Amino acid sequence: MADISLSEAEKRYIVDGVKLGIRVDGRERLDYRQLEIETGLVSTANGSARVRLGCTDVLITVKMEMEPPPPQQPKDGQIHFFVNCSANAAPEFEGRGGEDLATSLSAMLDRLYSSPLSLDTSRLCVVPGKHVKVLYVDVEILECGGNLFDTVSLGVKAALWATRMPRIYITGEDGGELEFMVSDNPQEVDRVDVSNAPILITHLRITENLTVIDPTPEEECCGPVQVVVGVTPKGLITTTQQLGAGTFAPQTLSASLKSAQELGVKIHHQLMQRLQQEESIPNRKTKGFL
């Protein structure tokens, strides 16, 4: 993921620190960096969130459109993900590098939210077989400072939590076509149920039998392989994907999956707690993202 040149001595210093239980920035192996979350930054979107984890900075916006459903899913709404890796975020994003990473992130988010256990898309149905709500989730990578998959997943869940969709009423029928009224009352909105929405937990194998979470770019240079795990708030693993050229020993992979389940439950709780606290602030002023 990271395109940083480190000497063998620098790599050995990082790896030896992990073996001793002390990472370069003072964290332990299973510690996250400081997480900053802010929602409601983009007034033209139905929902938005900015998440900063260490030096990784992402902005997510959600827009709702009403469209005909696909024939095979006449009663289900849709959710689509689009990722843009700006060349300003990291030098390696120039050219095909950014496109390949964006494709990988989009595919992982599609897999993460494809299960009906993750997001109940039937609640996005307006008229079965004719009209459903479609959510377009745009992910903008503003800065890449390691652990991009986890940060994006946290931002997507926060943006969906913050999404407010105007309530739609069916007022009648004219010539066989249904007539709709969209409420302009800011209090009459529908929200997305993210109570089961999963997040990603990444374990980087930095040495033979040891992994770290929330790796920095320097640590990503030392680790040949990582496993990305999708975890629900109840600790259910929904998807896994291995990134990089390398292998996990069976016992290391098993320990990583178990750790991801435990950490997933903990991070879900902390994320929702922060979002609820932010929402409860009266007359909250947003900082913006510029």
Side-chain angles (χ1 to χ4, degrees):
M1 190 78 68
D3 187 15
I4 296 177
S5 179
L6 296 178
S7 67
E8 289 303 317
E10 289 173 314
K11 291 181 180 180
R12 177 53 53 192
Y13 178 76
I14 292 172
V15 172
D16 287 347
V18 172
K19 290 180 178 179
L20 294 173
I22 303 175
R23 296 160 75 174
V24 173
D25 55 11
R27 291 180 292 152
E28 296 184 1
R29 288 195 309 109
L30 302 181
D31 287 344
Y32 271 84
R33 292 169 290 180
Q34 181 178 354
L35 177 66
E36 299 177 14
I37 301 176
E38 188 177 10
T39 62
L41 301 113
V42 183
S43 59
T44 55
N46 294 98
S48 61
R50 183 188 184 184
V51 174
R52 190 174 182 90
L53 185 61
C55 292
T56 298
D57 196 357
V58 300
L59 174 70
I60 292 91
T61 58
V62 182
K63 292 188 177 181
M64 185 273 289
E65 300 286 347
M66 197 162 68
E67 301 177 4
Q72 65 273 22
Q73 294 177 306
K75 297 182 180 179
D76 292 326
Q78 304 288 313
I79 181 168
H80 301 294
F81 297 96
F82 302 91
V83 180
N84 179 41
C85 298
S86 170
N88 295 326
E92 61 266 27
F93 289 171
E94 293 185 7
R96 292 291 303 177
E99 294 179 13
D100 292 342
L101 179 58
T103 301
S104 180
L105 276 166
S106 299
M108 174 57 81
L109 290 171
D110 284 333
R111 289 175 58 191
L112 197 64
Y113 281 87
S114 62
S115 170
L117 299 177
S118 301
L119 192 69
D120 185 7
T121 54
S122 65
R123 299 182 63 175
L124 298 175
C125 181
V126 180
V127 180
K130 293 186 176 181
H131 301 284
V132 297
K133 296 175 182 177
V134 180
L135 301 179
Y136 291 95
V137 182
D138 292 295
V139 179
E140 184 74 27
I141 310 300
L142 303 176
E143 187 175 357
C144 183
N147 199 24
L148 197 54
F149 280 76
D150 294 20
T151 310
V152 167
S153 73
L154 290 169
V156 167
K157 181 163 183 171
L160 289 173
W161 157 268
T163 296
R164 306 289 190 276
M165 299 174 289
R167 194 157 295 167
I168 299 173
Y169 297 96
I170 300 175
T171 57
E173 186 175 354
D174 184 14
E177 294 293 329
L178 294 174
E179 295 182 342
F180 299 93
M181 182 188 73
V182 179
S183 175
D184 57 3
N185 184 345
Q187 303 301 320
E188 289 189 338
V189 294
D190 294 322
R191 302 188 63 172
V192 180
D193 181 11
V194 296
S195 57
N196 290 319
I199 60 172
L200 297 173
I201 304 292
T202 300
H203 271 269
L204 172 73
R205 200 207 79 187
I206 202 165
T207 185
E208 187 60 33
N209 296 314
L210 291 177
T211 63
V212 297
I213 65 163
D214 188 21
T216 62
E218 293 77 14
E219 289 172 335
E220 290 180 344
C221 286
C222 300
V225 62
Q226 50 190 329
V227 60
V228 184
V229 185
V231 185
T232 68
K234 296 181 180 179
L236 176 67
I237 293 178
T238 60
T239 184
T240 60
Q241 181 173 336
Q242 179 177 307
L243 302 175
T247 59
F248 276 86
Q251 63 272 22
T252 305
L253 180 59
S254 177
S256 298
L257 295 178
K258 182 178 180 181
S259 172
Q261 287 180 289
E262 296 171 352
L263 285 168
V265 173
K266 179 181 177 182
I267 299 301
H268 272 295
H269 176 73
Q270 293 176 348
L271 173 64
M272 295 309 299
Q273 196 172 44
R274 289 196 184 191
L275 292 173
Q276 290 166 357
Q277 287 174 350
E278 182 190 60
E279 189 177 56
S280 65
I281 299 175
N283 302 319
R284 179 179 66 90
K285 294 182 179 179
T286 58
K287 298 178 183 177
F289 61 92
L290 297 178

